Amino acid sequence: MPQTHGRRSRVAVVTGGASGIGEATCRHLAERNHRIAVLDLDGDGASRVAEELRAHGGEALGLTADVTDRPALDAAFAEIRATFGPAEILVTSAGLVAFDPFENITPERWSRLIDVNLTGTFHCCQAAVPDMVAARWGRIVTISSSSAQRGSPTMAHYAAAKGGVIVLTKSLARAYAPHGITVNSIPPSGIETPMQHRSQAEGDLPANEVMAGTIPLGHLGTPDDIAAAAAFLTSDEAGFITGQVLGVNGGAVL
Ligand code: NAP
């Protein structure tokens, strides 16, 4: 099995791997010599990222799946096992954001935000955990949101879903600690990604300079900032860290 810097090559699944934070996480994990399953609703994007990783000498597989579609996810995990072996690392970055005044949130929109962000994370964790239990080793990092830590006046659905992700993370950390599996969450804030750019284009978020002014470090973050933290939390070295919420947010006051 290939080794880099004395580290073992693992099988890593990254949801939302075709864009933004997920894409950067795929690159960081590939740099650690892991075999990467890039999973995304955007199948062309997942294939593109996997192809780029392979062009840089990595092993990667692009997969199309909606994290709300359990049969499709189970099929994707079966393909990952057949290609690379059991899942050892999972980073759940697939997410859907929305901005709505509370009284305008329809039950359908509420359900969709909960389905993608919270239930999608549940499905992915449940699909991956049996492999980790069997191996008596596993690393899960969920990508939540700072909106879950401070609340949000126009994102009650999204923030509630991401709050659920944080408590799911803490619950799984306690459930699976005896199996050698760590589960942590990173709640990003102010990270320049296609999702953020779309929200700015639609007038839901202010321009970069205004956002930067609210961040103690004085600038926005990059997908690499989150990916570096996720790569650490999924490493052997982070084996005594579980059930934690690691803010990567430029010192944002929550
Ligand atoms: P992004 O650039 O939009 O990437 C998200 C990826 O997830 C996209 O490729 C998207 O595909 C995919 N996706 C969406 N719904 C999916 C589904 N049902 N099944 C599978 N894949 C799906 O966004 P990002 O900014 O990197 O966000 C990554 C994570 O960080 C999200 O969970 C987000 O909520 C969280 N977050 C980001 C920030 C920030 O500042 N950027 C702040 C707080 C939290 P499509 O493009 O086809 O929809």
Side-chain angles (χ1 to χ4, degrees):
M1 193 170 287
Q3 304 278 327
T4 296
H5 308 309
R7 291 187 179 118
R8 181 167 168 189
S9 167
R10 308 266 187 194
V11 176
V13 182
V14 181
T15 75
S19 179
I21 291 167
E23 179 176 354
T25 301
C26 289
R27 282 199 313 273
H28 280 243
L29 294 178
E31 280 163 16
R32 290 179 176 239
N33 214 31
H34 298 316
R35 288 154 282 163
I36 313 297
V38 186
L39 194 149
D40 206 289
L41 190 57
D42 172 6
D44 290 343
S47 299
R48 173 188 57 79
V49 171
E51 215 170 286
E52 285 170 14
L53 297 178
R54 287 195 297 270
H56 286 85
E59 288 185 76
L61 176 67
L63 295 154
T64 314
D66 184 329
V67 293
T68 67
D69 180 347
R70 185 56 177 267
L73 264 185
D74 287 340
F77 273 81
E79 191 175 341
I80 294 163
R81 279 182 207 107
T83 309
F84 291 144
E88 297 170 291
I89 292 171
L90 171 67
V91 180
T92 61
S93 189
L96 175 68
V97 75
F99 298 81
D100 296 292
F102 179 68
E103 63 272 26
N104 292 357
I105 299 175
T106 61
E108 293 73 25
R109 197 149 164 90
W110 172 269
S111 296
R112 182 66 186 156
L113 269 287
I114 299 290
D115 279 353
V116 174
N117 293 299
L118 177 55
T119 312
T121 304
F122 155 77
H123 285 313
C124 294
C125 292
Q126 210 175 54
V129 144
D131 286 353
M132 299 178 182
V133 169
R136 297 203 58 76
W137 192 96
R139 296 280 186 270
I140 298 176
V141 173
T142 63
I143 304 298
S144 49
S145 168
S146 64
S147 65
Q149 297 173 296
R150 67 181 154 213
S152 169
T154 56
M155 303 163 87
H157 37 19
Y158 176 78
K162 293 294 194 177
V165 168
I166 289 176
V167 181
L168 174 66
T169 302
K170 288 173 180 267
S171 301
L172 295 186
R174 294 188 66 175
Y176 291 103
H179 298 274
I181 301 168
T182 68
V183 193
N184 294 288
S185 191
I186 300 174
S189 185
I191 306 297
E192 267 206 83
T193 66
M195 177 188 277
Q196 188 200 286
H197 292 153
R198 280 193 301 273
S199 300
Q200 287 172 318
E202 286 162 20
D204 292 320
L205 286 177
N208 282 0
E209 313 77 70
V210 178
M211 288 183 73
T214 67
I215 299 172
L217 279 177
H219 60 86
L220 291 166
T222 67
D224 285 317
D225 291 321
I226 305 296
F232 168 65
L233 287 173
T234 56
S235 69
D236 280 308
E237 295 94 317
F240 200 52
I241 303 173
T242 196
Q244 302 305 304
V245 179
L246 176 63
V248 181
N249 55 28
V253 180
L254 301 168

